Amino acid sequence: MAIENFEANIKGMHCAACSARIERVVGNLGGVTECSVNLATEKAKIVYDPVAITSTAIQEAIAGLGFSAEIATADDDATGASQEADERLRAMRNRLIPAFVLALLIMSLSMATMFGITLPEAVHPNHSPFTHAVVQFLLLLPVLYLGRNFYLNGIPALLRGGPNMDSLIAIGTGAAFVYSTWNLVEIGLGFDPTARAHDLYFESAAMLIALVSLGKYLEARSKARTTDAIKQLLQLAPETATLLEENGQRQVAVTEIRVDDRLLIRPGERIPVDGTIVDGESAVDESMLTGESMPVMKRKDDKIFGGTLNKNGALTMQAQKVGRDTMLARIVKLVQDAQGTKAPIANLADRISLYFVPTVIVIAALAGLSWFFLGDADFSFSLRIFIAVLVIACPCAMGLATPTSIMVGTGRGAQLGVLVKSGEVLELAQKVSCVVFDKTGTLTLGRPAVTDIMAFDGYDATLLLRLAAGAESRSEHPLAEAIIAEAGKKGCAVPEPESFSASPGRGITSSMQLDGNRYDVLFGNIQFLRENAIKGLGDQIERQTGELSDQGKTVLFLAVNKTLAGLLAIADPLKAEAKKTIRDLGKMGIKVVMLTGDNEKTAQAVAAQAGISRVVAGVLPDNKEEEIVRLQKSGEIVAMVGDGINDAPALARADVGIAMGTGIDVAVESADIVLMNGHLAGVGRAIGLSRATMHNIRQNLFWAFAYNVVGIPVAAGVLALFGGPTLNPMIGGAAMALSSVSVVSNALRLRWYQPDEQGP
């Protein structure tokens, strides 16, 4: 079966009942294998068999439910969505203000006598009941018009058999309006006008529309803030750049930059695209990518990325990746994709939301009828119960509980340099019980470095390093690079050897002139020096060699004119943050395992430095995946941290794959979480963020369910059965409006999540 998928922008959803209905109907279409609708992002992800059904047919099915579905394109971006959201907020605010003013006027007129306020006789319910009712009626009409979307969306949805939150408001306010209008007619016809004038619900209808509209506005404004992280990232990309041409400089739009263009980046400017420095050096602030505040020194041939900030030096760069290929664009796309996904914990709320609104309508009707027929209540009281149940129920709170937290959590992760690829991963990461680290390039820097220089027989360390670098200057051995790099770091001039002879696996024989003196040098392992009868190899040297070897270091000996002159120790150094990271994971109750292809002795030495007690050494790349499976079978939820191509299968096999952003693309693609700066602290940061997000989601779900479980019975008059109060529909409407706002506001707290917060 051929499988295709597309993402659609859904317009017209108003609550979780809407998204749940789309999921159920579209998911049941023949040929559709998966349909996931996200209320917070207003997007649907649909997987289907193009042989059995077309994307057009799917869109038509969605349209038949009363919603519009436009296939999202690569040209859709967060900027356009942000502008659309801003326009929507302005329109909502423009309707909200006059609706509230008019609702308050109606309420003042209706409630004045209850609070001892004297009204003019012309509009007093006792003196001029008809005028009193007509003025309220006329003031309500523009409120109904301003809130017309409740009826335009809610009534058709009800008639289609898929009622939503707007349906509840439409029925509740509509019932209040019709009942009050009927009373107005009876007042005009002279049927007990004074009593009828005190039995109007125009103010309830007006205030319900105003309060729910306020809630929707606050909710929309809060939802807009859930994408702040993406907006901030997008704002980092400059709009123009300085293009270097043969005849001078020219300002161009960033969209006009092409691969291989040369660009001038002045101090204080943001880098427009990804590329390589061809001239100059400067400190570059990469915090927007990595979450690390300290600038990084960049020199010729170093890579720089679009959106980062050039601090203090002029740079000339060559563009290598532009447009959607830049690191910034890829990060934004990854975060957007993650924000559009669902966590498994949302399934229960989605299932309940599908049947929630019809159930509430039934409960409201039963409650009202029960009070009227069984409770001997008058029609006015029963109607108030009916309306209160309708308007206090809030499916939105349940529908927004999970996606808003995921949106804010993944956005905050991006700001901290932790890219989480889906809501499912975000949920699973909180359960991780064991973290497996690859050694080389993950726990260690991934490049050998000189760690110790010991000089004997009157030689000094600098001379020893220069002789060793000279001997290795023609070698292609990986350790040679470490020695030459160390010489360069310390500013040592490397002499040119007059002769050079390599003995593979043992060492180098070389001679060179240095400061007017001739040196015949042997440089290699202890066996090589013994073979050449070098003097000075005694028991003390053996002990020193053993101590260094026990630390996982490779020891190389240098002899001059047949006498031992000193030794150099080389190792792949542990990352500075490794020990603290392992300690922090332990505090979080997480087991740590080091997995490496190195020999047991070296592996144990590195593990001891890092504070890791469990080591699996001598593992071939093909067998890393098997070790992950073995841990999973023992009951562990495993996170694998790696950076190389040989880590890709293990990353894919682990419950949660975490790739160092400094690694190669195949490792990053295989992972579920990417640490952009390659800093090990990001592992605990990712798990801590997951725990904090899931705790936030559980809070949201608890309050959403608790609100409805408690609120609906109270609105139905359960307390009144025991002599308690009933719920005024206006209070119910305000509570419903605030319930959604509270859920989204709680999710927004994740914007201030700090890395040292590891969750509950």
Side-chain angles (χ1 to χ4, degrees), residues 38-166:
N38 190 309
L39 176 63
T41 60
E42 298 182 341
K43 290 182 181 293
K45 290 187 176 180
I46 299 167
V47 181
Y48 68 103
D49 177 5
V51 176
I53 192 170
T54 65
S55 59
T56 302
I58 295 172
Q59 289 176 269
E60 290 173 351
I62 295 173
L65 296 173
F67 310 97
S68 67
E70 298 178 0
I71 295 179
T73 66
D75 293 329
D76 293 343
D77 58 32
T79 303
S82 175
Q83 292 173 347
E84 185 178 335
D86 290 342
E87 291 174 3
R88 190 186 309 170
L89 281 172
R90 278 194 296 272
M92 293 176 72
R93 185 172 60 247
N94 291 339
R95 293 193 299 269
L96 176 63
I97 294 172
F100 240 107
V101 171
L102 292 168
L104 289 172
L105 286 174
I106 298 173
M107 192 170 180
S108 299
L109 188 62
S110 173
M111 302 288 188
T113 55
M114 293 177 57
F115 294 100
I117 300 173
T118 303
L119 288 173
E121 288 191 7
V123 290
H124 198 286
N126 296 332
H127 299 286
S128 305
F130 184 71
T131 305
H132 176 78
V134 168
V135 171
Q136 290 186 59
F137 175 81
L138 294 176
L139 288 172
L140 177 60
L141 291 180
V143 176
L144 294 176
Y145 177 76
L146 292 168
R148 61 190 179 279
N149 285 337
F150 290 116
Y151 306 96
L152 295 176
N153 296 319
I155 300 301
L158 179 65
L159 296 176
R160 283 191 296 266
N164 55 27
M165 190 189 78
D166 285 355

Side-chain angles (χ1 to χ4, degrees), residues 184-195:
L184 169 62
V185 172
E186 288 193 330
I187 292 171
L189 295 174
F191 291 101
D192 197 4
T194 301

Side-chain angles (χ1 to χ4, degrees), residues 178-504:
V178 170
Y179 177 73
S180 300
T181 302
W182 178 252
N183 278 346
L184 169 62
V185 172
E186 288 193 330
I187 292 171
L189 295 174
F191 291 101
D192 197 4
T194 301
R196 292 284 188 273
H198 287 282
D199 193 23
L200 300 173
Y201 286 96
F202 289 128
E203 85 286 349
S204 293
M207 285 305 297
L208 282 173
I209 290 173
L211 286 168
V212 176
S213 297
L214 173 63
K216 280 181 169 281
Y217 171 75
L218 294 174
E219 175 190 319
R221 194 175 69 171
S222 297
K223 280 169 62 179
R225 294 170 64 187
T226 62
T227 58
D228 279 353
I230 288 182
K231 293 177 188 175
Q232 290 168 10
L233 286 173
L234 288 171
Q235 289 169 0
L236 295 175
E239 295 182 358
T240 61
T242 304
L243 178 66
L244 297 178
E245 299 176 317
E246 291 182 3
N247 56 351
Q249 304 174 3
R250 180 165 63 94
Q251 287 291 117
V252 298
V254 170
T255 53
E256 297 178 22
I257 298 174
R258 299 292 178 262
V259 175
D260 292 332
D261 280 351
R262 291 204 167 201
L263 307 167
L264 175 64
I265 316 297
R266 298 182 178 89
E269 291 184 341
R270 290 200 175 270
I271 294 161
V273 295
D274 296 358
T276 303
I277 296 174
V278 294
D279 187 40
E281 66 176 57
S282 177
V284 176
D285 181 356
E286 295 184 331
S287 58
M288 50 74 64
L289 285 179
T290 66
E292 298 298 324
S293 58
M294 291 299 294
V296 181
M297 281 304 300
K298 298 285 185 175
R299 300 177 177 84
K300 185 178 179 182
D301 296 330
D302 284 345
K303 291 186 179 297
I304 50 178
F305 301 97
T308 56
L309 178 64
N310 180 28
K311 299 289 284 186
N312 51 22
L315 297 174
T316 301
M317 69 172 290
Q318 185 173 21
Q320 292 180 328
K321 292 184 178 179
V322 300
R324 295 187 186 89
D325 295 328
T326 64
M327 180 69 74
L328 178 60
R330 290 165 64 192
I331 289 174
V332 169
K333 181 65 168 66
L334 193 151
V335 175
Q336 285 178 320
D337 289 345
Q339 290 183 338
T341 60
K342 285 189 175 183
I345 197 173
N347 292 336
L348 175 62
D350 288 345
R351 286 196 298 271
I352 292 176
S353 297
L354 181 62
Y355 304 103
F356 182 82
V357 174
T359 302
V360 168
I361 294 174
V362 171
I363 292 173
L366 288 175
L369 292 171
S370 297
W371 277 106
F372 185 73
F373 289 107
L374 303 178
D376 294 327
D378 59 23
F379 184 78
S380 177
F381 180 89
S382 301
L383 177 66
R384 190 164 70 246
I385 292 291
F386 173 71
I387 296 172
V389 174
L390 289 176
V391 299
I392 199 171
C394 188
C396 275
M398 292 185 293
L400 292 170
T402 300
T404 49
S405 294
I406 288 176
M407 289 179 71
V408 181
T410 52
R412 180 57 180 156
Q415 293 176 324
L416 296 171
V418 177
L419 300 185
V420 183
K421 292 188 177 180
S422 71
E424 184 178 1
V425 170
L426 194 62
E427 178 174 343
L428 186 57
Q430 58 142 356
K431 301 176 183 177
V432 166
S433 61
C434 178
V435 175
V436 177
F437 286 94
D438 173 53
K439 182 182 79 70
T440 305
T442 303
L443 284 171
T444 66
L445 294 174
R447 54 182 183 273
V450 175
T451 59
D452 301 88
I453 301 176
M454 296 183 182
F456 311 131
D457 199 24
Y459 290 91
D460 63 57
T462 301
L463 176 58
L464 209 66
L465 180 59
R466 294 180 68 190
L467 292 173
E472 292 283 10
S473 62
R474 294 183 184 178
S475 172
E476 297 179 353
H477 196 282
L479 298 182
E481 296 178 11
I483 294 168
I484 294 170
E486 182 69 13
K489 189 194 304 183
K490 294 189 174 178
C492 299
V494 178
E496 182 69 24
E498 296 176 351
S499 63
F500 174 87
S501 175
S503 299

Side-chain angles (χ1 to χ4, degrees), residues 364 463 482 576 587 748:
L463 176 58
K587 291 178 181 177
L748 288 173

